[in-house]
Amino acid sequence: MSGQSQRLNVVPTVTMLGVVKARLIGATRGHALLKKKSDALTVQFRAILKKIVATKESMGEAMRASSFSLAEAKYVAGDGVRHVVLQSVRSASLRVRSHQENVAGVKLPKFSHFVDPAGASGGPSNASPALTGLARGGQQVTACRAAHVKAIEVLVELASLQTSFLTLDEAIKTTNRRVNALENVVKPRLENTITYIKGELDELEREDFFRLKKIQGYKRREVERQMIAARQFAEEQLAEDLALKRGISMGAATNILAGGDKDEDIIF
């Protein structure tokens, strides 16, 4: 069923017309706000998409640099440096925290990295990372660590962008569904209801006008009939007054002309 043929099942009254008009105004305002929200989310969505493309390009470079630096460190310090690093680390020095960012009413998760002071300084259970590779290849091990830290930072940023991207995508779909529902279902239905109520009220007004015209015509005919009756009565009264002045009763004259009483027969 098309949206043009739908309407609400309501009683066509003036009060209901005001209620439906108020609902239409609210639906129009809601549609405008949701449209602006959808536009704002779309702009943010495209900006995040551009950042994702740029971050993925930089991630390829960072991963290449970290892999190459690891190969250099193994070449200079030997394969045993990996065991030394694993033995000297008990907890991660680079950590990730999460927070939320509000964009047009949508909360986007954001991830950011930070350096844990306890893990970076070695702590009670960690050896200092500066001592790793002290025998040989220390510079290459430090460069390898910096390259991998850079790669982790890029990965955290990419994870944040990807999560925000998916959240925005779902929010835009939901907002667009609401916008389409208001534009193609709710508003046409309310407009059709208003048109229906106005048509019914106009029809009732025409019926009342026709009824008033009929009542006025009946009253006018009744007044004319009473005037004619009064005129006839006045004429009869005038004729009776003239007859009384002449000494003739109108009732007696009527009886004589009618011949109501017969004379007795005369026998010769």
Side-chain angles (χ1 to χ4, degrees):
M1 183 180 295
S2 62
Q4 298 297 328
S5 61
Q6 293 180 356
R7 64 174 179 83
L8 300 178
N9 188 12
V10 296
V11 180
T13 59
V14 178
T15 304
M16 185 55 65
L17 179 62
V19 172
V20 177
K21 283 185 176 180
R23 290 181 60 182
L24 180 60
I25 292 174
T28 303
R29 291 178 180 175
H31 176 266
L33 291 176
L34 287 176
K35 189 66 175 176
K36 291 180 181 179
K37 178 180 178 180
S38 177
D39 295 340
L41 293 179
T42 303
V43 171
Q44 187 70 17
F45 182 80
R46 293 175 179 174
I48 290 178
L49 183 59
K50 292 180 180 179
K51 290 181 180 179
I52 288 176
V53 174
T55 305
K56 283 187 176 181
E57 293 177 353
S58 62
M59 182 187 67
E61 183 66 24
M63 296 301 292
R64 185 190 64 80
S66 62
S67 299
F68 189 73
S69 64
L70 179 60
E72 288 181 344
K74 285 183 178 180
Y75 177 77
V76 174
D79 293 335
V81 69
R82 181 178 61 180
H83 302 286
V84 175
V85 172
L86 292 177
Q87 290 175 1
S88 63
V89 175
R90 294 294 182 269
S91 63
S93 61
L94 191 64
R95 296 181 179 272
V96 178
R97 66 163 60 96
S98 64
H99 62 279
Q100 291 182 342
E101 181 181 356
N102 192 348
V103 177
V106 179
K107 294 181 179 180
L108 300 179
K110 294 289 184 179
F111 304 125
S112 59
H113 61 277
F114 68 99
V115 177
D116 188 7
S121 61
S125 60
N126 289 1
S128 176
L131 300 178
T132 305
L134 184 61
R136 58 176 182 171
Q139 184 177 2
Q140 295 298 329
V141 172
T142 304
C144 179
R145 182 178 182 276
H148 279 79
V149 168
K150 180 63 177 178
I152 291 174
E153 293 176 355
V154 175
L155 286 175
V156 170
E157 183 180 0
L158 182 61
S160 177
L161 292 173
Q162 289 278 19
T163 307
S164 300
F165 181 83
L166 294 177
T167 305
L168 271 180
D169 184 49
E170 187 64 27
I172 289 173
K173 288 180 180 178
T174 303
T175 306
N176 287 337
R177 282 197 296 267
R178 293 177 180 176
V179 170
N180 293 331
L182 286 173
E183 185 176 356
N184 300 320
V185 178
V186 177
K187 289 179 64 178
R189 184 177 297 176
L190 293 176
E191 290 172 355
N192 293 336
T193 304
I194 291 175
T195 303
Y196 163 73
I197 294 176
K198 286 183 177 180
E200 291 295 323
L201 292 179
D202 292 341
E203 185 67 24
L204 290 176
E205 186 177 357
R206 285 191 294 268
E207 290 179 359
D208 292 339
F209 182 72
F210 179 76
R211 189 181 298 110
L212 289 175
K213 286 186 66 176
K214 295 291 288 185
I215 292 173
Q216 289 178 356
Y218 173 77
K219 288 183 178 180
R220 185 170 59 251
R221 290 193 298 270
E222 186 66 20
V223 170
E224 291 177 356
R225 187 184 65 79
Q226 291 178 1
M227 291 178 63
I228 292 173
R231 191 182 302 114
Q232 291 178 354
F233 180 75
E235 291 177 355
E236 291 177 357
Q237 288 294 110
L238 181 60
E240 187 174 357
D241 291 342
L242 291 176
L244 289 175
K245 288 180 180 180
R246 295 176 182 176
I248 302 174
S249 175
M250 292 296 293
T254 303
N255 292 334
I256 292 173
L257 294 175
D261 298 333
K262 292 185 179 181
D263 298 335
E264 296 180 358
D265 296 336
I266 300 174
I267 301 175
F268 295 99

